[in-house]
Amino acid sequence: MASRKKKLQGLVAATITPMTEHGEINFSVIGQYVDYLVEEQGVKNIFVNGTTGEGLSLSVSERRQVAEEWMTKGRNKLDQVVIHVGALSLKESQELARHAAEIGADGIAVIAPFFLKPWDKVRAEELLDGIQEKIPTFQGLKFSDTDLLDFGQCVDQNRERQFAFLFGVDEQLLSALVMGATGAVGSTYNYLGKKTNQMLEAFERKDFSSALNHQFCIQRFINFVLKLGFGVSQTKAIMTLVSGIPMGPPRPPLQRASREFIDEAKARLESLDFLSSTYLKDRNLESCS
Amino acid sequence: MASRKKKLQGLVAATITPMTEHGEINFSVIGQYVDYLVEEQGVKNIFVNGTTGEGLSLSVSERRQVAEEWMTKGRNKLDQVVIHVGALSLKESQELARHAAEIGADGIAVIAPFFLKPWDKVRAEELLDGIQEKIPTFQGLKFSDTDLLDFGQCVDQNRERQFAFLFGVDEQLLSALVMGATGAVGSTYNYLGKKTNQMLEAFERKDFSSALNHQFCIQRFINFVLKLGFGVSQTKAIMTLVSGIPMGPPRPPLQRASREFIDEAKARLESLDFLSSTYLKDRNLESCS
Amino acid sequence: MASRKKKLQGLVAATITPMTEHGEINFSVIGQYVDYLVEEQGVKNIFVNGTTGEGLSLSVSERRQVAEEWMTKGRNKLDQVVIHVGALSLKESQELARHAAEIGADGIAVIAPFFLKPWDKVRAEELLDGIQEKIPTFQGLKFSDTDLLDFGQCVDQNRERQFAFLFGVDEQLLSALVMGATGAVGSTYNYLGKKTNQMLEAFERKDFSSALNHQFCIQRFINFVLKLGFGVSQTKAIMTLVSGIPMGPPRPPLQRASREFIDEAKARLESLDFLSSTYLKDRNLESCS
Amino acid sequence: MASRKKKLQGLVAATITPMTEHGEINFSVIGQYVDYLVEEQGVKNIFVNGTTGEGLSLSVSERRQVAEEWMTKGRNKLDQVVIHVGALSLKESQELARHAAEIGADGIAVIAPFFLKPWDKVRAEELLDGIQEKIPTFQGLKFSDTDLLDFGQCVDQNRERQFAFLFGVDEQLLSALVMGATGAVGSTYNYLGKKTNQMLEAFERKDFSSALNHQFCIQRFINFVLKLGFGVSQTKAIMTLVSGIPMGPPRPPLQRASREFIDEAKARLESLDFLSSTYLKDRNLESCS
């Protein structure tokens, strides 16, 4: 499993699983997808087979194949590949974890139980208490809630440990950075990675007004699509628009994004300058619209 | 798939999947379990690999084996065997459905999407609208909510169709019977089947005060265990107590029922006369405590 | 306060507070309203200043005046008048309770705390435990939830007491009758009282298929308006349509029912025969549409 | 009403309403309370009769008296006094608003409808759209949710307006400051105002590590009491401990904080150095324990 020295930092794109019109996995575009993330978005870490990747809609064998393809195409190009191996069946989860280790993944991630649950609600802060004794290879947390008290206490109580504290609510990442987030995992980094990196850089140099400008710019887009109804289907459509790489429809039970959604999202992306070559080429772009 | 003539009626036990102390499936007691349901509880229909059976905690191959074992041991003893084939991966669900047909199951059941969802909330009444055109072999519904407006409208709008309307909230079954329920699927029918059958019989002969007495008697037990914290782990422990057949611990992420729970549940079962030979032998028993 | 001998039974209409176009209380139609309930709907009990009556949107002095007007106009016509005196301020609630006693109300009702709360969730069954020691004049409960385990246990645990168990979910009253409800409080009894009384009568004579027909008929209407968006504003519009008595608009923050709602509700009322003279005159009407 | 020039900034203490052991308002300590806030906590703005002040548990006349007392005792000591005038009855709310203007309050605040509601959920961002046309004297927003997308968009879309954006989730104030909050309203500023002011100062001078240390220190305390069960009753007990001013018990329906809570909170306050003279005197204190 992943070496402890190489700490996960910065942006991690929750990868989409490209599909054909018939809902089969389209492995052929994954190489192109890797190059796009690295060259156009400046994103060198990926989170494979998560919610955005419809990981739980895939069969176990499909999940293995998808993981292998990303490892192969990402070699010498990506910094870290994290494979989500969570499943409702612990046996299947264990099989996927062993497989991830075999193919040399940099790490695995597992979603908390969401069907049969040992507890009603878990606070991340309590989960982390003594976790290294239980999981010696534990490296960090993806936190996808807006409860920044819980998130903050995770950071506060684990200062001497070298954990990665990755935030998963893209539209308010800035609020987690100030609370100690070391990086972020999200679906929008597939197509807003460059803009989000600009925000991270501004935050690093303590240029708050720029950082906030970038955050607001990102919020304008997310706020807009959320009102239209935003999920994995819509993410696939948006990534197809911005990257030009065909992501295809989602697999059932999800339904394809509507024509109306695609048209409205495209117009908004243009008005925010997220489709222009400027956005994709000029790394010094500071603000939107 | 199941013939349309044979309509599912009465009680359907949501079967537990017996396990060893190490969390492996204990196939050896399933034959004994069938006999217990039929002879002691008067329950001749089962729902296999559902939530109570930890179906989603099993691997696909385990689910196939469990289904086969129930079919084999239930032959000529059970009226109907329904196999739950729902899975987060549609491909796995399809494989399990084909397998259920191959082994001659009387029917299959599928849980609604609960992770990636096409809609926020579905009303059963709307789902049933025109369902026979979409699913020609559709036979009925397991309704596990307390919204009896939705349930009632399912019955009202499908009167000419021979659907089975099975209610899944054991503690208030009587309220659904009066609203047109044709049967019930639940975990408590594993050990309170006999008492519940007494309620069904009283309802049939329009003896409401007896039916209500039986319902209250059942409610006293369920109300008691709900306050202690009641789920699949606790159901396994209670069934072990009442039937004497070892159901074993649940599989993670669930945790074994506590010693305290078992002791308190046992005392309550005794006070309600659910452990006595009277309860299990005398079919004319009318009231508890 | 009310004598213990006179037990509240049957239907209780949660009265609307008629208002002028300017949102002032229209006392002038209350006498006509009383006659309509008694003569056309066969409803002789009322629940004043509850949610349907916008009680909490009225000032304390307005609540006193409304209560007085119903008492005056209902004298010798109504069986029981219950005044809701719940308020967020205990002092105001106490003042309203004293006033209700002074004007000779048959009973008072109080909503459970809903802003600052001593507990997260209260089970009615636990509230009733030993309540007569705390409230010697306690007469009964209005239960407005679909948790019929809790409702059933309220009935089961208080059998020897002469409590009224009034159900508040109109669209599934039949399911509560079989669980021991002694009556019902609701807004639909203002205009569907006659039909609901037919259901009660059928239930009394153990004619379930008729009772269920009546319940389904009522559900068809409620199910229809719920999908359009159904609340106090819509109730005022519907009552105006059915009774011909102008109920006026709601008071802010509520907004007046839309023209579209009124048109669609009217068409549905007609299709279900709830606007016809047949419905309002022929007490033997058994089914709708 | 308040002049537009004087913008509300920094910390605003949501004042507690001191009560006697018999639940009557204890006006006698309000003068001392004002001095404590200003001199010990460095808090010069107050929010009167809000949730923390049990405003909705008071009668209208009590609310008027409480507002008057704070205005009188705060004169020439406090910067701004905001009176919460929200009530379920619009008429009462209007009366309280007129009264606040008469006594010269700097502003009024109104809670959104929470019983009868015109809409299911409101996004603050949408509420602010064109609000100055509807409310010419509108000055700002108290935002008490963790949805910082909504909060951020409120700030982003109203940049040219001089609105106050006050955050109401004390335990994660730092995350809102970076998103553009101009101040904060909360109950903890009654006793953690000094520490929170240290955080605001560190943030102003871009000393993030100190700001985060202060936030974590505050989170440790809030996280601790939240697990014990934390509400208005507990706030009254804690303020009594820290300030030495008797706040008394809450008014029903709230119940007095338990002895156990008080003992545990006291020990935690001491361990975090929030009871020591150092905390209350030395304004350079940088970190806790």
Side-chain angles (χ1 to χ4, degrees):
Chain A
M1 192 51 64
S3 116
R4 310 295 292 287
K5 294 184 201 52
K6 199 168 139 203
K7 182 174 172 185
L8 187 52
Q9 280 179 316
L11 298 185
V12 183
T15 58
I16 291 161
T17 299
M19 292 182 187
T20 66
E21 284 306 304
H22 305 87
E24 295 306 316
I25 298 166
N26 180 5
F27 294 99
S28 70
V29 300
I30 289 179
Q32 184 184 355
Y33 192 163
V34 169
D35 296 336
Y36 177 83
L37 289 176
V38 175
E39 293 160 22
E40 302 292 342
Q41 298 293 344
V43 173
K44 303 190 72 176
N45 305 297
I46 60 174
F47 184 92
V48 175
N49 287 335
T51 300
T52 303
E54 297 170 86
L56 291 161
S57 297
L58 307 178
S59 69
V60 169
S61 62
E62 287 177 316
R63 289 173 72 168
R64 296 168 59 113
Q65 294 170 61
V66 170
E68 285 168 24
E69 188 64 13
W70 281 102
M71 285 302 296
T72 308
K73 294 300 193 301
R75 189 159 297 115
N76 306 323
K77 294 179 174 178
L78 298 172
D79 285 346
Q80 295 209 26
V81 176
V82 176
I83 311 293
H84 177 257
V85 301
L88 287 174
S89 163
L90 195 64
K91 281 180 183 286
E92 294 180 345
S93 197
Q94 289 165 330
E95 175 190 337
L96 290 165
R98 276 187 299 268
H99 175 258
E102 285 158 21
I103 63 177
D106 299 282
I108 60 170
V110 186
I111 191 172
F114 59 92
F115 186 72
L116 292 174
K117 302 178 197 140
W119 321 280
D120 265 4
K121 190 177 187 315
V122 209
R123 300 194 76 245
E125 164 232 332
E126 290 162 0
L127 269 184
L128 292 193
D129 187 15
I131 197 157
Q132 273 182 322
E133 287 62 62
K134 300 180 206 119
I135 308 173
T137 59
F138 183 80
Q139 291 184 93
L141 180 76
K142 171 176 181 281
F143 189 92
S144 300
D145 192 85
T146 62
D147 178 353
L148 293 170
L149 168 64
D150 190 10
F151 182 75
Q153 284 303 288
C154 288
V155 176
D156 182 31
Q157 295 170 21
N158 294 280
R159 290 176 163 205
E160 54 295 327
R161 298 182 192 77
Q162 285 308 303
F163 291 163
F165 294 104
L166 309 171
F167 195 60
V169 186
D170 308 12
E171 57 269 33
Q172 59 183 74
L173 174 56
L174 185 58
S175 63
L177 289 178
V178 75
M179 204 66 86
T182 61
V185 180
S187 66
T188 65
Y189 309 133
N190 283 293
Y191 50 93
L192 298 182
K194 183 181 170 188
K195 169 62 72 179
T196 309
N197 274 318
Q198 291 165 356
M199 181 177 83
L200 297 184
E201 290 151 15
F203 183 79
E204 271 314 301
R205 61 175 189 270
K206 298 195 174 186
D207 175 355
F208 291 125
S209 90
S210 294
L212 189 53
N213 276 336
H214 290 306
Q215 180 70 94
F216 283 161
C217 177
I218 290 162
Q219 286 191 340
R220 287 176 205 166
F221 179 71
I222 297 180
N223 196 39
F224 179 81
V225 291
L226 281 174
K227 290 179 187 176
L228 299 177
F230 185 55
V232 170
S233 310
Q234 289 71 28
T235 293
K236 292 186 106 165
I238 292 168
M239 182 59 170
T240 302
L241 278 173
V242 179
S243 70
I245 306 169
M247 294 297 151
R251 177 171 287 184
L254 292 182
Q255 298 173 311
R256 176 189 301 264
S258 70
R259 187 70 251 163
E260 296 62 37
F261 175 86
I262 295 170
D263 294 342
E264 294 202 55
K266 185 161 187 292
R268 194 74 178 112
L269 285 163
E270 278 160 351
S271 73
L272 291 168
D273 204 33
F274 285 142
L275 280 180
S276 71
S277 55
T278 342
Y279 168 60
L280 295 174
K281 298 305 168 205
D282 168 19
R283 297 196 56 81
N284 302 322
L285 179 68
E286 277 301 311
S287 82
C288 58
S289 65
Chain B
M1 194 51 65
S3 119
R4 311 294 293 285
K5 291 182 204 54
K6 199 168 140 205
K7 182 175 171 182
L8 186 51
Q9 280 179 315
L11 299 185
V12 182
T15 57
I16 291 161
T17 299
M19 292 182 186
T20 65
E21 285 306 303
H22 305 87
E24 294 306 314
I25 299 166
N26 180 4
F27 294 99
S28 70
V29 299
I30 289 180
Q32 184 184 356
Y33 191 162
V34 169
D35 294 337
Y36 177 82
L37 288 176
V38 175
E39 293 160 22
E40 303 292 343
Q41 299 293 344
V43 173
K44 302 190 73 176
N45 304 298
I46 59 173
F47 184 93
V48 176
N49 287 336
T51 300
T52 303
E54 296 171 86
L56 291 160
S57 297
L58 307 178
S59 70
V60 170
S61 63
E62 287 177 317
R63 290 173 71 168
R64 295 168 61 114
Q65 296 170 60
V66 169
E68 285 168 25
E69 188 65 12
W70 281 103
M71 285 303 296
T72 308
K73 294 300 193 300
R75 188 159 297 117
N76 306 323
K77 293 179 175 179
L78 298 171
D79 285 346
Q80 293 208 29
V81 176
V82 176
I83 311 293
H84 177 256
V85 301
L88 287 173
S89 163
L90 196 64
K91 280 179 182 286
E92 293 181 345
S93 198
Q94 289 165 330
E95 174 189 338
L96 289 166
R98 276 187 298 268
H99 175 258
E102 286 157 20
I103 62 176
D106 299 282
I108 60 170
V110 187
I111 191 172
F114 59 92
F115 186 71
L116 293 173
K117 302 180 198 134
W119 319 279
D120 265 4
K121 191 179 188 312
V122 209
R123 300 192 77 246
E125 165 231 332
E126 291 162 359
L127 270 184
L128 292 192
D129 186 16
I131 197 158
Q132 273 182 322
E133 288 61 61
K134 301 180 205 119
I135 309 172
T137 58
F138 183 80
Q139 293 185 92
L141 181 75
K142 171 176 182 280
F143 189 93
S144 300
D145 192 86
T146 62
D147 178 352
L148 292 171
L149 168 64
D150 189 11
F151 183 74
Q153 284 304 287
C154 288
V155 176
D156 182 31
Q157 295 170 21
N158 294 280
R159 291 177 164 203
E160 53 295 326
R161 297 182 192 77
Q162 286 307 303
F163 291 163
F165 294 104
L166 308 171
F167 195 60
V169 186
D170 307 12
E171 57 270 34
Q172 59 183 76
L173 175 54
L174 184 58
S175 64
L177 288 178
V178 76
M179 205 64 87
T182 61
V185 179
S187 65
T188 65
Y189 310 132
N190 282 294
Y191 51 93
L192 298 182
K194 183 181 169 187
K195 169 61 72 179
T196 309
N197 275 317
Q198 290 166 354
M199 181 177 82
L200 297 183
E201 290 150 14
F203 184 79
E204 271 315 301
R205 61 175 191 269
K206 299 195 174 187
D207 176 353
F208 290 125
S209 89
S210 294
L212 190 52
N213 277 336
H214 291 306
Q215 180 68 94
F216 283 161
C217 176
I218 290 161
Q219 286 191 340
R220 287 176 206 166
F221 179 71
I222 297 179
N223 197 39
F224 179 81
V225 290
L226 280 174
K227 291 179 186 176
L228 299 177
F230 184 55
V232 170
S233 310
Q234 290 72 27
T235 293
K236 292 186 108 165
I238 291 168
M239 182 60 170
T240 303
L241 278 173
V242 180
S243 70
I245 305 169
M247 294 296 151
R251 177 172 287 185
L254 292 182
Q255 299 173 311
R256 178 188 299 263
S258 69
R259 187 70 250 162
E260 297 63 36
F261 175 87
I262 295 170
D263 294 342
E264 294 202 57
K266 185 162 188 292
R268 194 74 177 112
L269 285 163
E270 277 160 354
S271 74
L272 290 168
D273 204 33
F274 285 143
L275 281 180
S276 72
S277 55
T278 342
Y279 168 60
L280 295 173
K281 297 306 167 205
D282 168 19
R283 296 197 57 81
N284 302 322
L285 179 68
E286 278 301 311
S287 82
C288 56
S289 70
Chain C
M1 194 51 65
S3 119
R4 309 295 292 286
K5 293 184 201 54
K6 196 168 143 203
K7 182 176 173 183
L8 186 51
Q9 279 178 317
L11 299 185
V12 182
T15 58
I16 292 161
T17 300
M19 292 182 185
T20 66
E21 284 306 305
H22 305 88
E24 294 306 315
I25 299 166
N26 180 4
F27 293 98
S28 70
V29 300
I30 288 180
Q32 184 184 356
Y33 192 163
V34 168
D35 295 337
Y36 178 83
L37 288 176
V38 175
E39 293 160 21
E40 302 293 343
Q41 299 293 343
V43 173
K44 304 189 71 175
N45 305 298
I46 60 174
F47 185 92
V48 175
N49 286 336
T51 301
T52 302
E54 298 171 85
L56 291 160
S57 297
L58 307 179
S59 69
V60 169
S61 63
E62 287 177 317
R63 289 173 72 168
R64 295 168 61 115
Q65 295 170 61
V66 170
E68 285 168 25
E69 188 65 14
W70 281 103
M71 285 302 295
T72 308
K73 293 301 193 300
R75 187 159 299 114
N76 307 322
K77 293 178 175 180
L78 298 171
D79 285 345
Q80 294 209 27
V81 176
V82 176
I83 310 293
H84 177 257
V85 301
L88 287 173
S89 163
L90 195 64
K91 281 180 182 285
E92 294 180 344
S93 198
Q94 288 165 331
E95 174 189 338
L96 290 166
R98 276 188 298 268
H99 175 259
E102 285 158 19
I103 62 176
D106 300 282
I108 59 169
V110 186
I111 192 171
F114 60 92
F115 186 72
L116 293 173
K117 301 177 198 138
W119 321 280
D120 265 3
K121 190 179 190 309
V122 209
R123 300 193 77 246
E125 163 232 332
E126 290 162 0
L127 269 185
L128 292 194
D129 187 16
I131 195 156
Q132 273 182 321
E133 287 62 60
K134 300 178 207 121
I135 310 172
T137 59
F138 184 80
Q139 293 185 92
L141 181 74
K142 171 176 181 282
F143 189 93
S144 299
D145 192 85
T146 63
D147 178 352
L148 293 170
L149 168 63
D150 189 11
F151 183 74
Q153 285 302 288
C154 288
V155 177
D156 182 30
Q157 295 170 22
N158 294 280
R159 290 176 164 204
E160 54 294 327
R161 296 180 193 79
Q162 286 307 303
F163 290 163
F165 294 104
L166 309 171
F167 196 59
V169 187
D170 307 12
E171 56 270 34
Q172 59 182 75
L173 175 55
L174 185 57
S175 63
L177 289 177
V178 75
M179 203 66 86
T182 60
V185 179
S187 66
T188 66
Y189 310 132
N190 282 293
Y191 51 93
L192 298 182
K194 183 180 170 189
K195 167 62 72 179
T196 308
N197 274 319
Q198 290 166 355
M199 181 176 82
L200 297 184
E201 291 151 15
F203 184 79
E204 271 315 300
R205 60 177 191 269
K206 297 195 174 187
D207 176 354
F208 292 125
S209 89
S210 295
L212 189 53
N213 276 337
H214 291 305
Q215 179 69 95
F216 283 161
C217 176
I218 290 162
Q219 286 191 340
R220 287 176 206 166
F221 179 71
I222 297 179
N223 197 39
F224 179 81
V225 291
L226 280 174
K227 291 178 187 177
L228 299 178
F230 185 54
V232 170
S233 310
Q234 290 72 27
T235 293
K236 291 186 107 164
I238 291 167
M239 182 59 170
T240 303
L241 278 173
V242 180
S243 69
I245 306 169
M247 295 297 152
R251 176 172 288 184
L254 292 182
Q255 299 173 312
R256 176 188 301 263
S258 70
R259 186 73 250 159
E260 296 63 34
F261 175 87
I262 295 170
D263 294 342
E264 294 202 55
K266 184 163 189 293
R268 195 72 178 115
L269 285 163
E270 278 160 351
S271 73
L272 291 168
D273 203 33
F274 285 142
L275 281 180
S276 73
S277 55
T278 343
Y279 169 60
L280 294 174
K281 298 303 167 207
D282 167 20
R283 296 197 56 82
N284 303 320
L285 179 68
E286 277 301 312
S287 81
C288 57
S289 64
Chain D
M1 193 52 65
S3 120
R4 310 294 292 285
K5 292 183 202 55
K6 196 169 142 203
K7 182 174 171 183
L8 186 53
Q9 279 179 316
L11 298 185
V12 182
T15 58
I16 293 162
T17 300
M19 292 183 185
T20 65
E21 283 307 305
H22 305 89
E24 294 306 316
I25 299 166
N26 179 5
F27 294 98
S28 70
V29 300
I30 289 180
Q32 183 184 357
Y33 191 162
V34 169
D35 295 336
Y36 177 82
L37 288 176
V38 174
E39 294 160 21
E40 302 293 343
Q41 298 293 344
V43 173
K44 303 189 72 176
N45 304 298
I46 60 173
F47 185 92
V48 175
N49 287 336
T51 301
T52 302
E54 297 171 86
L56 291 161
S57 297
L58 307 179
S59 70
V60 170
S61 63
E62 287 177 316
R63 290 173 71 168
R64 295 168 61 112
Q65 297 170 58
V66 170
E68 286 169 26
E69 187 65 13
W70 282 102
M71 285 302 296
T72 308
K73 294 300 193 301
R75 188 159 298 115
N76 306 324
K77 293 178 175 180
L78 297 172
D79 284 346
Q80 295 209 25
V81 176
V82 176
I83 310 293
H84 177 257
V85 301
L88 287 174
S89 164
L90 196 63
K91 281 180 182 285
E92 294 180 344
S93 197
Q94 289 165 330
E95 174 189 338
L96 290 165
R98 275 187 299 267
H99 175 259
E102 286 158 18
I103 63 176
D106 299 282
I108 61 169
V110 187
I111 191 171
F114 60 92
F115 186 72
L116 293 173
K117 300 176 199 142
W119 320 280
D120 266 3
K121 191 179 188 309
V122 209
R123 300 192 77 246
E125 165 232 332
E126 290 163 359
L127 270 185
L128 292 193
D129 187 16
I131 196 157
Q132 273 182 323
E133 288 61 61
K134 300 178 207 121
I135 309 173
T137 59
F138 184 80
Q139 293 185 89
L141 181 75
K142 171 176 181 280
F143 190 93
S144 300
D145 192 85
T146 63
D147 178 352
L148 293 171
L149 168 64
D150 190 11
F151 183 74
Q153 285 303 288
C154 288
V155 177
D156 182 31
Q157 295 170 23
N158 295 281
R159 290 177 165 203
E160 54 293 327
R161 297 180 192 79
Q162 286 307 303
F163 291 164
F165 295 105
L166 308 171
F167 195 59
V169 186
D170 307 11
E171 57 270 34
Q172 59 182 75
L173 174 55
L174 185 57
S175 64
L177 288 177
V178 76
M179 204 66 85
T182 61
V185 180
S187 66
T188 65
Y189 310 131
N190 283 293
Y191 51 93
L192 298 182
K194 183 181 169 189
K195 168 62 73 179
T196 308
N197 274 318
Q198 290 166 355
M199 181 177 82
L200 296 184
E201 291 150 15
F203 184 79
E204 271 313 302
R205 61 177 191 268
K206 298 195 174 187
D207 175 354
F208 291 125
S209 90
S210 295
L212 190 53
N213 276 338
H214 291 305
Q215 180 69 95
F216 282 160
C217 176
I218 290 162
Q219 286 191 339
R220 287 177 206 165
F221 179 70
I222 298 179
N223 197 39
F224 179 81
V225 290
L226 280 174
K227 290 179 187 176
L228 299 178
F230 185 55
V232 170
S233 311
Q234 289 72 27
T235 293
K236 292 187 107 162
I238 292 168
M239 182 59 170
T240 303
L241 278 172
V242 179
S243 70
I245 306 168
M247 294 297 151
R251 178 172 286 184
L254 293 182
Q255 299 174 310
R256 172 190 303 264
S258 69
R259 185 72 250 159
E260 296 64 34
F261 174 87
I262 295 170
D263 294 342
E264 295 202 54
K266 184 162 190 292
R268 194 73 177 114
L269 285 163
E270 277 159 352
S271 73
L272 290 168
D273 203 33
F274 285 143
L275 281 181
S276 71
S277 56
T278 341
Y279 168 61
L280 294 174
K281 298 304 167 207
D282 167 21
R283 295 196 57 80
N284 302 321
L285 179 67
E286 276 301 312
S287 81
C288 56
S289 58

